[in-house]
Amino acid sequence: MFGTLFKRKVSEEKLVVYFINSTIEMVDNGFGDVAELINQDPCFVESPNIQPNQSDQFLLIVLAGNIKLISNHFESIQDRRILNKAYNVLSHTFDLPADEVQKLISNYQSYISKVNFPSKNTLYGMSKAVFYKYGLNDFQEPYFKNMKAPNPLFIKRLDSIIEKFIWDWTEFQEKYKIVER
């Protein structure tokens, strides 16, 4: 009972550092398995042969999707502060100015929206972005290859994989009270 009454406090700064670092670590540790699952998917007539060290685009898709979801879980002023802090942390991580990081993430978010139009489902968009960024159309059976569209069975399997890389902000907020300082 007291667990629901008294939440642990965490500052926005610590939340952002933890979010960015754990997301990067999750991709670093998990992309080899993602690549293997994609390479062995029965929807492909030939293995895409994605290498475990080719995680850069996947990381940017995962970051862009997760950052996009922040605004669904925080009030507008708090989400702006969290986003700005996230771009600052990523700026140090990628050794780029914060405005360039913001532009890079924004470009990936736009790409996710574009390949997913008219749907607004971020998870589905992330899966389609992975499909297109890794050139997986070239490895499909001719029917889907000619349509230049992912096999829906593959996308469904990829959704279940990418879902593991999406932050559960609701659960986090149930356990922690996020404070500005």
Side-chain angles (χ1 to χ4, degrees), residues 22 44 80 100 113-114 119:
S22 64
F44 298 121
R80 284 276 77 189
E100 285 185 37
S113 295
K114 180 179 133 193
S119 174

Side-chain angles (χ1 to χ4, degrees), residues 12-139:
E12 291 172 356
E13 186 70 36
K14 285 183 180 178
L15 163 67
V16 168
V17 169
Y18 180 72
F19 161 63
I20 297 298
N21 289 339
S22 64
T23 300
I24 292 170
E25 183 180 343
M26 188 170 34
V27 170
D28 285 347
N29 293 335
F31 185 73
D33 293 333
V34 173
E36 184 178 337
L37 289 167
I38 292 171
N39 289 336
Q40 295 176 358
D41 195 282
C43 286
F44 298 121
V45 294
E46 180 184 336
S47 172
N49 201 24
I50 298 172
Q51 299 301 305
N53 63 349
Q54 294 177 306
S55 64
D56 292 351
Q57 292 184 64
F58 186 76
L59 174 61
L60 289 168
I61 291 166
V62 168
L63 285 169
N66 276 299
I67 288 172
K68 183 175 184 172
L69 293 171
I70 287 174
S71 62
N72 295 345
H73 298 280
F74 296 93
E75 294 178 20
S76 64
I77 294 170
Q78 188 175 36
D79 77 339
R80 284 276 77 189
R81 286 193 311 262
I82 290 171
L83 290 173
N84 287 334
K85 289 174 182 168
Y87 295 132
N88 286 329
V89 171
L90 285 169
S91 134
H92 295 293
T93 303
F94 293 154
D95 198 25
L96 291 170
D99 61 330
E100 285 185 37
V101 170
Q102 184 174 1
K103 184 177 179 182
L104 178 65
I105 295 296
S106 178
N107 287 343
Y108 266 80
Q109 289 171 337
S110 295
Y111 185 78
I112 290 169
S113 295
K114 180 179 133 193
V115 298
N116 196 34
F117 184 80
S119 174
K120 301 228 185 265
N121 182 318
T122 301
L123 171 63
Y124 191 65
M126 291 168 70
S127 295
K128 288 178 100 175
V130 167
F131 177 84
Y132 290 112
K133 285 288 186 182
Y134 283 93
L136 301 179
N137 189 55
D138 296 340
F139 304 97

